[in-house]
C-alpha cells in the first residue's frame, strides 16, 4: 500500500520576520487560503487515505501541526527531539510505516512546496509507484525541468529512458550538488539535467536496507528507536538515540550510492518557495512591479515585495527593489539583491540576545 510521509521540520529562516521558531514557514499562509502544510496534505486527497499519512516535524511543533491538520489520527504527527537532516527523518518514517505494513511503498514530500495542478501531481505519483512495483528495489525521484541556471538547487542528470509511458522517465546517471552559476548554465544547456525536487517514492524496506548498507551507525540507532515503539521508555530511548545520530541529507546518505534510481520528469508546476522572492513569482505583480499583501500606499515605488498585517499601514516613497515585511514585533527592510544574507541577519539578532523576535 502507498503511504505518504510529509517532512515538516524546517526552520524557514529566510522568511523571517514572519517565520518564527514556533511558527515556521510551513505553518504560514503565504499565498492565501491554506498554510503550506495544509496545502501539501490537501494534495494527497484521493491518492493516500489520511490514516496512511505521517508527518515528521520538530518536537516543539507537534501541537501546532496537529492543530492545523485535525483530520489526522492520533500519533500521525511525530516530533523529532532534535534536528538531524533528512536521512534520519526518512529512516524514522520508514520504520513507522513498516510496523503495520512491511511491504509499504512510501511517498516522501517536503511540506513547503507549491505544486499544481493536483491531478497532474497525483498522476505522476501513481506512475512513480508503478515504476517501484515494476522493480521493487528501485528508488524514484522527481525532476523539475529547469527554467534558468539556478545555483540554489541540486541537479539530476538523466541517462537512458525507461519503457515508454505517458510521463517521461529515465534512469539517473548521477546527482550533482548545488553548482556555481557557470556550471549551472552548462547543465541547463545540455537539456539532460533536472532540478532535484526532493520528492521520492520507494519501498520502506528499500530505504532501510540502503541506510543499513551506507549509514550503518545511523541505521543501528534507528533500529534501537524502532524496537522501543510502544514501550514505556520510548520517549527516553528516542531522545537519546536520535541525538546520537550524525545528521546527513538523504542525497549524501543514499541517493548518490543507489544503483537503481529513476527520475520522473514532473508534469506539474513546482516552486520550492525558498525565500520572499517566491511571492513575486507566485502572486504576480502590479503595474509598478510590486507584489503587495498588506495595507499599502506608495509613491515612486517599484519592484518591491511588501507584506504586512491588515491593520497596519505600510507607506513607501521613492524606493525600488526592496522587501518589506511588517509583523507586530519586527519589521524587515531589505534590498532584493541581499536576500541571501537574511540568515546572517537572523544570527546577528540571536547574538544580540533578542531571541524573543525569533
Amino acid at each position: 500500500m502507498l503511504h505518504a510521509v510529509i517532512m515538516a521540520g524546517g526552520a524557514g529562516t529566510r522568511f523571517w520576520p514572519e517565520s518564527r521558531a514556533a511558527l515556521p514557514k510551513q505553518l504560514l499562509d503565504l499565498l492565501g487560503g491554506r498554510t503550506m502544510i495544509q496545502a501539501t496534505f490537501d494534495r494527497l486527497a484521493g491518492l493516500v487515505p489520511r490514516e496512511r499519512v505521517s508527518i515528521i516535524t520538530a518536537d516543539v511543533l507537534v501541537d501546532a501541526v496537529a492543530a492545523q491538520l485535525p483530520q489526522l489520527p492520533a500519533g500521525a504527527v511525530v516530533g523529532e527531539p532534535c534536528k538531524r537532516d533528512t536521512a534520519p527523518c526518512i529512516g524514522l518514517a520508514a520504520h513507522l510505516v513498516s510496523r503495520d505494513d512491511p511491504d509499504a511503498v512510501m511517498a516522501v514530500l517536503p511540506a513547503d512546496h507549491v505544486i499544481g495542478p493536483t491531478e497532474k501531481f497525483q498522476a505522476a505519483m501513481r506512475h512513480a509507484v508503478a515504476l517501484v512495483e515494476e522493480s521493487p528495489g528501485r528508488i524514484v525521484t522527481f525532476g523539475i525541468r529547469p527554467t534558468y541556471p539556478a545555483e540554489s538547487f541540486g541537479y539530476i542528470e538523466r541517462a537512458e529512458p525507461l519503457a515508454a509511458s505517458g510521463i517521461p522517465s529515465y534512469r539517473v546517471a548521477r546527482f550533482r550538488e548545488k553548482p556555481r552559476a557557470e556550471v549551472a548554465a552548462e547543465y541547463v544547456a545540455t537539456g539532460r539535467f533536472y532540478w532535484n525536487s526532493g520528492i521520492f517514492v520507494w519501498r520502506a524496506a528499500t530505504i532501510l536496507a540502503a541506510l543499513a548498507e551506507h549509514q550503518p551507525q545511523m541505521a543501528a540507532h534507528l533500529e534501537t528507536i524502532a524496537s522501543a515503539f510502544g514501550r514505556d521508555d520510548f520517549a527516553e530511548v528516542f531522545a537519546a538515540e536520535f541525538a546520537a545520530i550524525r545528521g546527513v541529507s538523504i542525497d549524501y546518505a543514499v541517493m548518490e550510492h543507489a544503483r537503481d534510481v529513476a527520475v520522473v520528469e514532473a508534469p506539474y508546476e513546482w516552486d520550492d518557495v525558498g525565500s520572499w522572492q517566491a511571492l513575486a513569482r507566485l502572486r504576480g505583480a502590479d503595474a509598478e512591479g510590486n507584489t503587495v499583501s498588506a495595507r499599502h500606499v506608495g509613491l515612486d515605488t517599484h519592484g518591491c515585495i511588501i507584506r504586512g498585517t491588515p491593520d497596519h499601514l505600510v507607506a513607501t516613497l521613492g524606493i525600488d527593489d526592496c522587501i518589506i515585511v511588517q509583523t507586530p514585533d519586527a519589521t524587515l527592510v531589505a534590498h532584493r539583491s541581499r536576500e541571501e544574507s537574511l540568515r546572517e541577519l537572523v544570527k546577528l539578532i540571536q547574538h544580540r540576545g533578542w531571541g524573543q523576535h525569533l
Side-chain angles (χ1 to χ4, degrees), residues 104-244:
V105 176
M106 293 170 59
V108 179
L109 313 94
D112 54 358
H113 292 177
V114 171
I115 291 174
T118 295
E119 303 79 46
K120 289 187 176 182
F121 166 79
Q122 293 195 357
M125 276 289 172
R126 292 188 176 97
H127 176 67
V129 171
L131 291 177
V132 169
E133 292 174 342
E134 173 186 284
S135 178
R138 177 174 286 160
I139 288 173
V140 179
T141 186
F142 293 82
I144 311 299
R145 185 170 287 280
T147 55
Y148 66 97
E151 301 173 65
S152 56
F153 299 139
Y155 284 75
I156 303 168
E157 183 179 6
R158 74 187 192 199
E160 68 275 13
L162 297 174
S165 69
I167 302 177
S169 306
Y170 305 85
R171 295 192 183 280
V172 170
R174 52 189 165 176
F175 290 85
R176 299 296 188 96
E177 292 306 311
K178 298 174 183 178
R180 303 186 308 276
E182 60 272 20
V183 176
E186 293 173 5
Y187 289 171
V188 174
T190 68
R192 299 193 310 272
F193 285 83
Y194 298 105
W195 289 335
N196 186 350
S197 70
I199 302 173
F200 308 101
V201 175
W202 46 45
R203 290 187 182 276
T206 297
I207 204 66
L208 290 175
L211 288 172
E213 179 181 358
H214 302 296
Q215 298 286 326
Q217 291 183 331
M218 179 190 302
H221 289 299
L222 292 171
E223 285 280 358
T224 302
I225 293 169
S227 68
F229 286 149
R231 291 191 341 218
D232 292 342
D233 64 343
F234 173 71
E236 293 79 5
V237 172
F238 187 14
E241 294 292 326
F242 204 79

Side-chain angles (χ1 to χ4, degrees), residues 4 6 33 37 55 96-97 127 145 151 164 169 182 225 277 297 305 319 327 332:
I6 300 174
I37 196 169
I55 298 179
L96 289 170
V97 302
H127 176 67
R145 185 170 287 280
E151 301 173 65
S169 306
E182 60 272 20
I225 293 169
Q277 303 273 14
V297 61
I305 297 169
I319 60 171
T327 70
L332 170 70

Side-chain angles (χ1 to χ4, degrees), residues 31-103:
L31 300 178
R34 298 282 276 170
T35 67
M36 302 199 75
I37 196 169
Q38 288 172 332
T40 302
F41 176 78
D42 294 347
R43 203 174 296 129
L44 297 169
L47 179 69
V48 183
R50 62 186 181 183
E51 62 268 18
R52 295 206 301 267
V53 177
S54 302
I55 298 179
I56 311 296
T57 187
D59 189 55
V60 296
L61 298 177
V62 167
D63 290 344
V65 170
Q68 290 204 1
L69 295 172
Q71 312 95 313
L72 289 174
V77 183
V78 178
E80 297 174 330
C82 54
K83 187 176 178 61
R84 286 296 181 267
D85 218 321
T86 54
C89 168
I90 289 169
L92 173 67
H95 278 292
L96 289 170
V97 302
S98 296
R99 284 185 297 174
D100 300 318
D101 186 4
D103 296 322

